[in-house]
Amino acid sequence: MIFRQVRTEEKEAYNAVVGHPLQSWEWGEFRKKTGVAVERVGLFNEGIITHGVQVTFHPIPLISKTAGYLPKGYMPDEEQLSAIKELGKKHGALFIKMEPNIAQKVGVPTAHQHIRSFLESRNAKRGRPLFTRYSFLLDLTQSEEKLLANMSSKTRYNVKLAQQKGVQIFENTSKEGMEQYISILEETTSRQGFYAHGPQYFRTMWDELGNSGMLRIFNAVYDDTVLVSWIVFVFNNVLYYPYGASRNLHRDVMASNLLMWEMIQFGKNSGCTSFDLWGSLGPEPNKNNPWYGFHRFKKGYGGDLVEFVGTYDLILDDPLYSLFTFADKVRWKLLRLRTKLPF
């Protein structure tokens, strides 16, 4: 078996063996357009691709080095680490941040320790996460009756209330739909004070993914006004909810609750077997956490809370990595302090 660059004519075969939208061919092409270096390699056995790996490389300010990022890859093994180390050397990387797409239900005896031990024994250290360690997963092979029964009573009530109020759900997977999403997102971030990608990020995403069939845009409409807009991904029989935005209007009609229920039905009708709600807090969430409301909203739909392996930095340059992590910690402390200062 050998690792080599994946050729353009092997796109479909590559997509068939990777397990997450962020590892897809289309996502890599999108990231290239944002100015990020992308490497895409496959493990081939007698000419047949069996696994794929996509790594992005990001310049580190002030030094002529990069940081690699391998999000949502397959189970780490010797061949994978060897391949990405070679890519890292090619790009002068200090480290490659790995966040494997390996999850288990919270409360089940850990099966992650052997993976963590494997990584730590090969010069990988726990790193600052880019993806949350937890998420909710919904089993879409269940009947709609079972899915409804698994919801919290409050969530079920809110879904029915939105239906009674006349909230309507429409798909608008179009350039216009993306512009509408961007407009609502700007309202959301201004109101809630959290960081989100800028308009050009989403416009470039539309240019690369808009016709792929992977990206879909849905709106919740009430009184001829779009109250909520979501971008979802459909990839290899899994539905994902990565991006959402809402207006601070008619919040009493519970438009987001109905939109989530309609997305569950959309996923089932699209042949998806599971729905990844793309991040949550842990099993004992802090109610003062700014993301607690999102966590509670997602929890209401009755999915399994799962824990991923976590974030590991595969270190390629030990001395510089130590300096980088020290500087990064100082930077984050200053940023947090800045948010608390009056202006």
Side-chain angles (χ1 to χ4, degrees), residues 44-78:
F44 289 80
N45 183 15
E46 297 182 353
I48 305 297
I49 188 170
T50 60
H51 294 86
V53 173
Q54 187 163 258
V55 185
T56 56
F57 289 93
H58 309 255
I60 298 175
L62 304 179
I63 59 175
S64 57
K65 292 287 185 176
T66 68
Y69 183 38
L70 170 53
K72 300 299 180 181
Y74 67 89
M75 180 76 75
D77 57 25
E78 295 286 5

Side-chain angles (χ1 to χ4, degrees), residues 216-278:
R216 310 289 285 270
I217 303 172
F218 288 87
N219 296 329
V221 179
Y222 175 75
D223 195 23
D224 297 323
T225 302
V226 177
L227 300 184
V228 185
S229 183
W230 285 6
I231 297 172
V232 300
F233 292 154
V234 180
F235 187 73
N236 287 353
N237 300 319
V238 180
L239 179 64
Y240 300 85
Y241 164 41
Y243 303 110
S246 63
R247 288 196 164 105
N248 196 29
L249 295 171
H250 304 297
R251 301 186 71 82
D252 58 317
V253 303
M254 302 301 170
S256 293
N257 285 104
L258 181 58
L259 182 53
M260 180 67 85
W261 172 236
E262 293 271 354
M263 290 303 92
I264 291 170
Q265 295 175 87
F266 164 75
K268 284 183 64 67
N269 293 335
S270 299
C272 295
T273 57
S274 62
F275 188 2
D276 184 342
L277 301 191
W278 203 278

Side-chain angles (χ1 to χ4, degrees), residues 77-236:
D77 57 25
E78 295 286 5
E79 290 171 315
Q80 181 190 128
L81 296 191
S82 177
I84 65 175
K85 280 181 180 179
E86 289 302 312
L87 296 176
K89 291 175 184 177
K90 175 181 173 181
H91 288 269
L94 291 186
F95 64 95
I96 296 175
K97 188 176 293 291
M98 306 174 65
E99 293 182 319
N101 193 35
I102 310 298
Q104 66 174 18
K105 186 176 178 180
V106 169
V108 175
T110 183
H112 288 336
Q113 189 53 50
H114 72 285
I115 307 172
R116 292 168 178 156
S117 298
F118 169 78
L119 290 169
E120 289 166 3
S121 69
R122 284 150 180 82
N123 208 30
K125 295 182 180 179
R126 288 183 181 269
R128 185 173 64 84
L130 298 181
F131 254 89
T132 59
R133 188 169 167 179
Y134 299 92
S135 187
F136 285 105
L137 291 183
L138 270 168
D139 177 4
L140 297 185
T141 65
Q142 302 174 97
S143 68
E144 288 190 9
E145 292 75 17
K146 180 66 173 175
L147 287 163
L148 275 168
N150 288 344
M151 290 182 193
S152 71
S153 58
K154 179 64 173 176
T155 299
R156 228 174 10 251
Y157 172 83
N158 287 344
V159 170
K160 292 178 180 177
L161 176 64
Q163 291 171 330
Q164 292 168 358
K165 291 284 187 179
V167 175
Q168 299 289 314
I169 308 301
F170 298 102
E171 181 171 4
N172 189 8
T173 304
S174 65
K175 189 172 183 178
E176 174 199 21
M178 181 60 82
E179 288 299 324
Q180 198 167 54
Y181 171 81
I182 291 168
S183 175
I184 297 172
L185 179 65
E186 290 175 337
E187 292 184 34
T188 306
T189 54
S190 176
R191 181 178 73 250
Q192 297 184 351
F194 63 79
Y195 168 80
H197 293 291
Q200 190 54 47
Y201 183 89
F202 288 102
R203 289 177 181 132
T204 305
M205 184 187 296
W206 172 259
D207 290 342
E208 291 301 320
L209 277 69
N211 296 320
S212 68
M214 184 173 82
L215 181 153
R216 310 289 285 270
I217 303 172
F218 288 87
N219 296 329
V221 179
Y222 175 75
D223 195 23
D224 297 323
T225 302
V226 177
L227 300 184
V228 185
S229 183
W230 285 6
I231 297 172
V232 300
F233 292 154
V234 180
F235 187 73
N236 287 353

